[in-house]
Amino acid sequence: MEATPAADLRKPLISPINEAEADSESGVLKYDLPKPTFTEELGCVLNMALSILGPGVLSIPYAISKSGLVVGSLMFVAALVMNDYMIVRLIDILHLMPEDQEKNFENLTELAIGRRCRIFLQGNLVVLLLGFVCGNFVAIGDLSHTVVKYLGYTVFTKTELLLLIIGVIIVPLAMVRDLSLLGKWTSPLGMLTMFLLLISVIYKLLSDSDVVAHPYTYMVPFDASFLLTFPIATFAFTVSPYVFPIFFDQMMRVRLPCGTTLTRPLDEEAKARFRMVTHYAMLLSFIIYMSVGFGGFVTFGKDTEGNLLLSYAADGLTTAVSGIMCLTVVICIPLNMYPLRLLLEGMIAPEADFSWKRFIALSLLIIGISLGISLA
C-alpha cells in the first residue's frame, strides 16, 4: 500500500479559492464550499411555505365568500405579488450590509433608515410574532377539543388538551436549535397535512349532496362585505420576519464533520437561489390557499364559516381533518418561535455568544406568555 505524502495530509479539507483572492480581502480566506443540496433547497421551500400557511388556510373560503370569486381571487393575487416582490427586493439589497454583520431584518432596517426605526421595528415584530404563536395556541385548543369530543372523551377541556400538547410535543420541538432539522422532518410532515386537508375539502365538495346549486353566480360583491377579505389577504402571505433565518441558518451554513460551521459566500448565485426558493414557496402557498378557498366556497357559498371546519357537519372525515390540521398547527409553532427567539436574543444580548440557558429560558418565556394570552 502506497503511503500518503505528508504534504497531502496537511492540505485542508476545503481549500481556499486562491492566495491572490485571500490577500486582497484583508487576509480573510475564502473557501470553495459545496453548493446547497436539493434536500436543503426543498427544506427551505417547505419551511417558508409552512410559515406562510398554518391555521390561516381555514379562513380563506370565508374571505372568498365575502368578496366573490373574482374580487377575492384578485386580492390574493395582488397580495402574492406584493409580498413576493418585497422579499426579492430585500434579497437584492443584502450586499449593502457589511460582510461581517449578521443578516437580519433589524440590521437591514437600521442600515437603511436608522437606529430609532430599528427599535420601532423590533417592538412591532415582537407583537406580530407573539400574536402568531397565540393564534396557533387558540387553534390547537379548538381543533383538539373537536377531535376528542367526537371520540367521546368529553371530560377533557380545551385548556387541559392545550397544556398536554404543549408539554408533550411543543416544548421538545421548541428546543431544536437547528432550523435545517425542522426543515428536513417537521416541514414535510406539515406540508403533507396541508395536502391532506386539500384532498378532504375536494372530496367533501364532490361527495356532499347539499352543495350550493349555483355558486358561480356570486362572482363579485354587491356590498361592502368584500372589505372583510382585505386584512385576510394582506396577512395571508406575510413571511418577511422568517426569510433571513430560513436563508442564512438553513441554506448558507455548512456544518463540517469535525463540528466547525462555515458560511457560504453571499454572491449573485446565492441571491438567485434565494429568489427561486421565495418564488416556489409563494406559488405553493397560493395554490393551496386558492384550492381550499375555492372548494370550501363552492360547497357552502355565502354561508361559509370563518373556520371552514365548522361549516361541515360532524363526521369521521371532518374529525380526521381537524386532527390533521391540529397536527399542522403544532408543527408550525417552532417555526413561528424561531425568529421571535432570535429577535429577543438580539435585543437582550446582541454581542453575547450562544447560551443554552438563555435559549431554553427564552423558549419557555415565549410559550408561557403566549399560553397566558391565549387563555385570557
Side-chain angles (χ1 to χ4, degrees):
M1 182 175 178
E2 186 177 352
T4 303
D8 291 341
L9 294 176
R10 291 194 296 268
K11 289 182 179 180
L13 294 177
I14 300 178
S15 304
I17 294 176
N18 56 59
E19 294 183 3
E21 277 192 86
D23 293 337
S24 65
E25 300 261 346
S26 302
V28 178
L29 294 177
K30 289 187 175 181
Y31 294 93
D32 188 12
L33 299 176
K35 297 179 181 180
T37 63
F38 172 78
T39 303
E40 290 176 324
E41 293 177 347
L42 179 61
C44 287
V45 171
L46 296 181
N47 260 349
M48 184 176 291
L50 197 59
S51 299
I52 295 172
L53 299 167
V57 69
L58 298 176
S59 64
I60 304 302
Y62 171 80
I64 295 179
S65 72
K66 295 301 180 182
S67 58
L69 289 174
V70 174
V71 176
S73 299
L74 290 176
M75 282 189 177
F76 280 97
V77 169
L80 166 69
V81 172
M82 287 188 294
N83 281 274
D84 186 89
Y85 176 78
M86 181 183 65
I87 294 175
V88 169
R89 293 303 300 156
L90 288 175
I91 295 171
D92 290 340
I93 62 176
L94 283 174
H95 67 277
L96 299 177
M97 301 182 67
E99 189 173 347
D100 59 345
Q101 187 177 29
E102 183 180 358
K103 307 299 186 295
N104 56 44
F105 213 179
E106 309 91 86
N107 288 338
L108 188 60
T109 300
E110 182 176 358
L111 178 66
I113 305 176
R115 181 162 183 80
R116 289 185 179 180
C117 189
R118 172 196 174 97
I119 298 174
F120 177 75
L121 174 69
Q122 287 176 327
N124 281 274
L125 286 177
V126 168
V127 174
L128 176 67
L129 296 174
L130 196 63
F132 286 160
V133 179
C134 293
N136 286 348
F137 279 173
V138 173
I140 290 172
D142 292 338
L143 293 171
S144 61
H145 189 259
T146 299
V147 174
V148 298
K149 184 178 180 181
Y150 179 82
L151 296 176
Y153 298 98
T154 57
V155 295
F156 295 102
T157 64
K158 294 181 181 180
T159 302
E160 292 171 343
L161 291 171
L162 179 58
L163 291 173
L164 178 64
I165 294 173
I166 289 175
V168 174
I169 302 177
I170 294 177
V171 170
L173 285 179
M175 300 303 154
V176 177
R177 183 190 176 194
D178 188 355
L179 189 60
S180 62
L181 182 62
L182 294 175
K184 187 179 297 183
W185 300 106
T186 62
S187 293
L189 181 60
M191 291 306 302
L192 176 61
T193 61
M194 285 293 176
F195 281 110
L196 292 176
L197 170 66
L198 173 59
I199 293 172
S200 301
V201 170
I202 295 175
Y203 173 79
K204 297 288 285 187
L205 169 65
L206 299 177
S207 62
D208 283 1
S209 59
D210 57 346
V211 172
V212 176
H214 301 287
Y216 304 101
T217 58
Y218 186 62
M219 303 293 289
V220 295
F222 298 99
D223 52 34
S225 62
F226 77 95
L227 295 176
L228 295 173
T229 303
F230 182 77
I232 298 176
T234 301
F235 287 99
F237 297 94
T238 300
V239 72
S240 301
Y242 304 95
V243 294
F244 289 108
I246 291 175
F247 288 158
F248 290 96
D249 288 359
Q250 188 169 350
M251 285 187 66
M252 296 295 286
R253 291 184 179 176
V254 180
R255 291 169 178 83
L256 303 181
C258 62
T260 303
T261 300
L262 300 177
T263 302
R264 295 183 175 99
L266 182 60
D267 51 19
E268 290 303 319
E269 184 179 356
K271 291 183 180 180
R273 195 172 289 112
F274 290 168
R275 297 186 195 100
M276 178 196 67
V277 168
T278 301
H279 296 328
Y280 279 126
M282 288 286 182
L283 180 60
L284 178 60
S285 302
F286 179 78
I287 292 173
I288 294 177
Y289 270 152
M290 297 312 296
S291 299
V292 173
F294 180 81
F297 170 66
V298 170
T299 303
F300 299 105
K302 299 178 70 173
D303 297 325
T304 306
E305 296 284 349
N307 182 340
L308 175 62
L309 297 178
L310 298 180
S311 301
Y312 295 104
D315 57 19
L317 180 59
T318 303
T319 303
V321 173
S322 298
I324 291 171
M325 199 63 213
C326 182
L327 177 61
T328 303
V329 178
V330 169
I331 293 173
C332 285
I333 287 184
L335 297 177
N336 289 334
M337 288 182 56
Y338 196 91
L340 178 56
R341 186 171 49 228
L342 287 180
L343 177 63
L344 293 175
E345 283 187 346
M347 296 171 64
I348 296 173
E351 304 297 334
D353 295 332
F354 174 79
S355 167
W356 272 110
K357 291 182 179 180
R358 186 170 60 251
F359 181 90
I360 295 174
L362 287 176
S363 300
L364 296 178
L365 178 65
I366 293 171
I367 292 174
I369 294 176
S370 301
L371 177 62
I373 295 175
S374 62
L375 296 179

